[in-house]
């Protein structure tokens, strides 16, 4: 695909390569460009021989019995004695294909990191090749550095964000990952940052600019970046091109005559809470970073999993009541500011006990509009399993346990502490600013009798 006036983009094939096809892995953005520039004929020949061997090894593995349902990735070769050894990694094809990924895998001949998982595979293969070259005979994947996994994940996330900048048309976006790390951890007058940053080239037909900066601001200017973020609101986002902030505006809805991929070069970065942010394209989350740790975006909770959790915690809850709680959770997920719903059989007693640190109300069902109003203040909403609300703005108590997650925010960890300390059946529904819904306790999926051995 070639966008007029823009770089040449290459759509990826199926993300899970079918058996019988080679599945070569290219290095991070810029790697192939380095191979092509400044090499003599002998160097180029070595490179093409290496790539040919990688494709042949992948094809051989694909065609074997072990290749069924697997996708193979082959690293560059290293000479060990009389042999050239290529490291290989295989993944489950169906699981890999389900991961969200960038819409293109190549731009102007430069390979892109299409997902965090893809980037990690590339990094591990690179490390393995270096280990083969460094050790005689090779002793391990990393004879020098014990922090390989964390470094590989962070480099992969960095390459993924840079790949998004390349698709958006910015060639100098190498520092964008660090810019968002700084932005998410920088308060403004004591307030934690929240809001959405849209990355698209200036003049993009889908971008409506409401406020145009006369002089663009570099995303590396952390304090200015954070100050400008303070002006964002739902529907009014900060606009960047991958290197500079050029205004505030919004993404226009897709017109009837526009192709479905007209926003494949538009990316959204959402500031979730202190030190936490997420990157998405076309509403598909690609990357989440919490406390400096990149991770795959959490999958949205399905209705069936929520129903199963409610039934396992509350013995006599009806399907009608479960649907009511689920509708409240979905309503809260649309508000872009998060919420905490505490569902407990002891809601009436807890409303009285926590009265000094809660607003006790006359028991009533909450409509989505009322829920929107009561979740504008800090604190949880206290409900019985039939959806009757007994208190709002509840500041939860509870003893600290080892069940929390330091990479998650205070809302999640306060829910964990309260639920762990509760003596009555209790399920907390945590809705984050990005619309993700979690429940605690996190119950393992049920195993059907016919699935057991």
């Amino acid at each position: 695909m070639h966008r007029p006036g823009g770089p040449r983009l290459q759509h990826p094939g199926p993300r899970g390569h079918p058996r019988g096809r080679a599945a070569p892995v290219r290095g991070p953005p810029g790697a192939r460009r380095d191979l092509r520039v400044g090499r003599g004929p002998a160097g180029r020949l070595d490179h093409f021989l290496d790539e040919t061997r990688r494709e042949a090894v992948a094809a051989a593995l694909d065609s074997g019995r072990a290749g069924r349902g697997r996708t193979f990735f082959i690293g560059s070769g290293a000479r060990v004695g009389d042999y050239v050894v290529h490291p290989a990694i295989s993944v489950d094809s169906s699981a890999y294909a389900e991961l969200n990924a960038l819409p293109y895998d190549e731009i102007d001949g430069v390979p892109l990191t299409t997902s965090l998982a893809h980037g990690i595979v590339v990094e591990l293969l690179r490390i393995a090749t270096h280990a083969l070259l460094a050790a005689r005979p090779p002793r391990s994947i990393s004879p020098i550095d014990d922090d390989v996994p964390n470094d590989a994940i962070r480099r992969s996330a960095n390459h993924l964000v840079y790949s998004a900048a390349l698709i958006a048309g910015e060639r100098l976006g190498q520092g964008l990952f660090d810019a968002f790390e700084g932005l998410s951890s920088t308060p403004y007058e004591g307030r934690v940052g929240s809001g959405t940053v849209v990355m698209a080239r200036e003049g993009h037909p889908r971008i409506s600019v409401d406020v145009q900066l006369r002089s663009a601001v570099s995303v590396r200017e952390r304090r200015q970046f954070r100050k400008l973020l303070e002006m964002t609101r739902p529907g009014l986002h900060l606009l960047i091109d991958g290197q500079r902030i050029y205004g505030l505006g919004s993404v226009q809805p897709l017109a009837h005559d526009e192709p479905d991929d007209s926003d494949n070069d538009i990316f959204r970065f959402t500031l979730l809470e202190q030190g936490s942010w997420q990157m998405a394209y076309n509403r598909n989350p690609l990357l989440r970073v919490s406390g400096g740790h990149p991770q795959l975006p959490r999958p949205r909770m399905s209705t069936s999993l929520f129903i199963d959790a409610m039934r396992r915690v509350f013995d006599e809850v009806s399907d009608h009541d479960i649907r009511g709680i689920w509708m409240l959770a979905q309503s809260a997920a649309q508000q872009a500011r998060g919420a905490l719903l505490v569902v407990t059989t002891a809601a009436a007693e807890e409303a009285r006990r926590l009265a000094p640190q809660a607003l006790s109300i006359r028991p009533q069902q909450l409509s989505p509009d009322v829920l929107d109003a009561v979740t504008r203040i800090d604190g949880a909403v206290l409900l019985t399993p039939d959806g009757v609300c007994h208190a709002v703005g509840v500041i939860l108590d509870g003893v600290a346990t080892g069940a929390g997650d330091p990479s998650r925010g205070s809302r999640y960890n306060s829910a964990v502490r309260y639920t762990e300390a509760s003596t009555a059946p209790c399920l907390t529904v945590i809705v984050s600013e990005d619309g993700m819904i979690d429940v605690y306790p996190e119950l393992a999926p049920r195993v059907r009798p016919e699935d057991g051995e």
Side-chain angles (χ1 to χ4, degrees):
M1 172 183 176
H2 180 63
R3 186 178 65 230
R8 185 172 298 278
L9 305 171
Q10 178 65 47
H11 283 281
R15 277 177 263 167
H17 292 273
R19 293 177 67 243
R21 284 185 56 192
V25 165
R26 298 165 173 137
R32 174 161 295 191
R33 180 171 50 199
D34 294 338
L35 289 169
R36 289 177 173 176
V37 178
R39 282 199 170 200
R44 286 196 294 272
L45 177 61
D46 288 342
H47 164 62
F48 289 124
L49 284 174
D50 183 82
E51 189 158 278
T52 300
R53 285 195 300 265
R54 292 163 69 190
E55 293 181 355
V57 171
L61 291 172
D62 277 340
S63 62
R65 179 182 300 178
R68 294 175 181 174
R70 310 292 297 180
T71 297
F72 291 90
F73 300 94
I74 313 302
S76 296
R79 182 165 292 280
V80 180
D82 295 332
Y83 298 91
V84 175
V85 179
H86 290 265
I89 294 175
S90 77
V91 299
D92 182 271
S93 295
S94 60
Y96 186 75
E98 289 175 1
L99 296 174
N100 292 333
L102 292 178
Y104 310 104
D105 63 0
E106 186 177 286
I107 178 170
D108 288 344
V110 178
L112 304 179
T113 296
T114 59
S115 68
L116 183 62
H118 170 232
I120 292 171
V121 168
V122 170
E123 281 298 314
L124 291 179
L125 290 174
R126 182 186 64 82
I127 292 167
T129 298
H130 285 187
L132 288 169
L133 292 169
R136 295 289 188 268
R139 294 182 296 275
S140 72
I141 188 174
S142 177
I144 300 172
D145 191 353
D146 293 331
D147 201 28
V148 164
N150 289 333
D151 288 346
I153 293 171
R154 190 171 180 87
R155 280 195 298 268
S156 301
N158 213 320
H159 294 321
L160 176 61
V161 175
Y162 176 51
S163 295
L166 285 173
I167 292 175
E170 179 52 61
R171 297 298 184 125
L172 302 177
Q174 291 93 335
L176 194 56
F177 178 90
D178 291 333
F180 277 101
E181 278 291 86
L183 179 66
S184 67
S185 61
T186 302
Y188 180 76
E189 296 184 354
R191 294 190 294 273
V192 175
S194 64
T196 299
V197 179
V198 171
M199 179 169 66
R201 72 182 189 277
E202 195 168 357
H204 194 292
R206 291 284 308 284
I207 298 298
S208 173
V209 181
D210 298 309
V211 178
Q212 178 83 46
L213 297 182
R214 189 181 295 271
S215 297
V217 176
S218 171
V219 296
R220 293 177 176 83
E221 295 289 338
R222 185 179 64 178
R223 295 189 182 280
Q224 283 285 75
F225 199 175
R226 176 64 186 86
K227 185 175 182 179
L228 289 167
L229 181 71
E230 197 69 13
M231 295 191 287
T232 63
R233 296 290 184 272
L236 183 66
H237 314 307
L238 207 55
L239 304 176
I240 68 173
D241 61 9
Q243 186 184 15
R244 296 166 295 275
I245 306 163
Y246 60 86
L248 290 101
S250 59
V251 181
Q252 295 302 297
L254 191 68
H256 294 297
D257 57 346
E258 284 187 285
D260 291 340
D261 63 354
S262 65
D263 60 354
N264 277 353
D265 54 353
I266 299 175
F267 299 88
R268 291 172 174 84
F269 297 83
T270 305
L271 280 294
L272 306 174
E273 52 197 12
Q274 181 73 21
S276 181
W277 56 278
Q278 179 172 283
M279 182 181 83
Y281 96 92
N282 199 19
R283 304 292 182 184
N284 296 311
L286 295 170
L287 170 70
R288 183 186 178 99
V289 182
S290 296
H293 301 292
Q295 53 197 260
L296 291 172
R298 301 192 307 277
R300 290 190 178 273
M301 171 163 281
S302 67
T303 306
S304 60
L305 286 177
F306 183 82
I307 291 172
D308 180 64
M310 285 285 291
R311 285 176 175 165
R312 293 167 70 178
V313 174
F314 306 108
D315 293 333
E316 299 180 357
V317 67
S318 69
D319 290 345
H320 177 270
D321 293 340
I322 294 175
R323 285 195 297 271
I325 299 291
W326 179 240
M327 287 179 63
L328 289 177
Q330 289 183 307
S331 176
Q334 302 299 318
Q335 297 168 12
R337 62 173 172 272
L340 179 57
L341 310 180
V342 177
V343 186
T344 174
T345 55
E349 295 85 348
E350 287 294 274
R352 289 191 293 269
R353 183 180 73 84
L354 298 170
Q357 56 198 49
L359 296 173
S360 183
I361 66 172
R362 181 176 297 171
Q364 67 177 78
Q365 300 279 348
L366 298 182
S367 68
D369 287 341
V370 173
L371 179 69
D372 177 69
V374 300
T375 54
R376 289 178 181 271
I377 62 174
D378 292 337
V381 177
L382 198 58
L383 306 162
T384 49
D386 59 359
V388 174
C389 179
H390 288 259
V392 300
V394 182
I395 305 303
L396 300 178
D397 57 8
V399 179
T401 69
D405 184 348
S407 70
R408 305 290 298 273
S410 59
R411 180 183 293 121
Y412 177 86
N413 285 290
S414 64
V416 170
R417 288 193 298 270
Y418 179 83
T419 307
E420 289 288 323
S422 177
T423 57
C426 179
L427 183 80
T428 49
V429 183
I430 308 108
V431 182
S432 59
E433 286 86 347
D434 60 346
M436 300 302 293
I437 300 174
D438 292 297
V439 297
Y440 194 87
E442 298 173 356
L443 303 174
R446 298 196 201 213
V447 177
R448 298 176 302 175
E450 58 268 29
D451 292 335
E453 294 184 357

